Amino acid sequence: QVQLVESGGGSVQAAGSLRLSCAVSGYTYTGYYMGWFRQAPGKEREGVAGISSNGFTRYADSVKGRFTISKDNAKNTLYLQMNSLKPEDTAMYYCAASGGLYGGSMLDQRNYAYWGQGTQVTVSS
């Protein structure tokens, strides 16, 4: 059974930083996408950053240069380092992993089969 558990969310002032973690267990695919998505109140869930099994990364334009996605295969953990946070980054953040078949955009939630429960990030001005 695949489980993804996020942690690291919280409240921070604008220009601050947070690092989100996603502990992955039961995941046996060797080829995959893993990604971070977010959903603000009243808005649709959007892709923030993705990373493939061979290390390629993709970022939403709104976070390029500020957020960095990475993974530690030894620890089975996905990270999202968020710097220079803005109030508009406030949202519930979810990590996700693809299933056996994947392809297309790493920022498209339709390419992901497994999801965590989310961790809240609140940025105050």
Side-chain angles (χ1 to χ4, degrees):
Q1 181 180 354
V2 177
Q3 287 191 319
L4 288 75
V5 180
E6 303 96 335
S7 62
S11 296
V12 64
Q13 290 191 328
S17 298
L18 283 173
R19 187 177 80 157
L20 304 183
S21 300
C22 175
V24 182
S25 60
Y27 192 77
T28 60
Y29 298 108
T30 55
Y32 55 78
Y33 290 166
M34 288 193 177
W36 288 96
F37 292 77
R38 67 186 181 187
Q39 187 168 21
K43 295 187 177 181
E44 293 186 355
R45 188 162 56 185
E46 62 175 351
V48 174
I51 187 167
S52 67
S53 49
N54 56 9
F56 286 113
T57 58
R58 174 88 184 270
Y59 296 92
D61 288 343
S62 59
V63 307
K64 279 181 183 176
R66 300 188 298 121
F67 290 11
T68 302
I69 189 171
S70 62
K71 56 186 175 74
D72 185 329
N73 293 328
K75 295 183 177 180
N76 294 321
T77 302
L78 181 72
Y79 300 101
L80 184 69
Q81 178 67 45
M82 305 186 295
N83 298 328
S84 302
L85 282 161
K86 304 176 181 180
E88 51 262 44
D89 295 317
T90 295
M92 184 72 78
Y93 282 72
Y94 301 88
C95 67
S98 62
L101 296 176
Y102 65 99
S105 172
M106 284 189 277
L107 300 184
D108 187 339
Q109 59 183 314
R110 294 173 297 179
N111 291 319
Y112 292 83
Y114 305 100
W115 294 83
Q117 82 289 349
T119 186
Q120 178 68 37
V121 172
T122 302
V123 185
S124 58
S125 57

